[in-house]
Amino acid sequence: MVADPSLVDPLPEIIPVFPLGGVLLLPRGRMPLNIFEPRYVAMIDDALGAPHRVVGMIQPLDEGRAGQPPALYPIGCLGKITSFSENDDGRYRYLVTLTGVSRFTVKEELEGRRGYRRMRVDHSPWQGDLDVQQLENLNRPKLLSTLKRYFAANDISADWKTIAETSDDRLITTLCMVCPFSANEKQALLEARDPSARATTLMTLMEMATLDRSNGDEQPKH
């Protein structure tokens, strides 16, 4: 394995977090975000002014009660701001791209800052994310067959030429991030042990969803 050249070193122990349900960032994945809420504009302002330029993406466990922030899943993914642009036309303030660095485990929530939440986190359980791990023994024909059935069942169009030209690692990461799985399914993909385990989980989720649709369900059971 080789080190990822986009790494943040050292990984910060205290990070701002962006809770967003049904949204998954994975190590070496790329996520575009339109930032318009004032508290998250403040978060990006502060992140851009900090040495590491990082934000933690994490999913809410629930909607939370009135006046109370929602509980969060205990594991998220650290993202580095690798590009950004500003906009003043009223639609959004920042368009940023986060590149996934490493997963983290939340140790405790700290006092918020300028409206956004901050966490003390532990990166040590996920040190393997800092190496470029290769998928092993991926059955690509089976993946593509499963993917075609899943896309057809969910009326999703695809550029199959681009998919065919995409590397195994990039394809699995992208599919995990963009497919319309539920929050708990996205979390299962995030917490998979390694890329090979994530690929297996992905194919299982697609097969289950396709079976649900073929059995006459109006909506996939995600």
Side-chain angles (χ1 to χ4, degrees), residues 49-102:
H52 296 101
R53 293 191 167 191
V54 295
V55 171
M57 296 301 300
I58 195 165
Q59 293 197 107
L61 269 168
D62 53 47
E63 296 299 323
R65 292 175 293 180
Q68 297 292 324
L72 304 175
Y73 278 97
I75 296 168
C77 185
L78 188 70
K80 181 176 181 178
I81 299 173
T82 48
S83 70
F84 75 97
S85 60
E86 296 185 70
N87 186 7
D88 292 321
D89 68 2
R91 291 177 300 161
Y92 61 88
R93 171 66 184 279
Y94 286 115
L95 175 62
V96 305
T97 298
L98 291 182
T99 298
V101 176
S102 171

Side-chain angles (χ1 to χ4, degrees), residues 153-155 212-213 215-221:
N154 289 276
D155 299 319
D212 287 342
R213 294 304 294 265
N215 286 339
D217 290 352
E218 291 297 321
Q219 298 291 335
K221 292 181 180 177

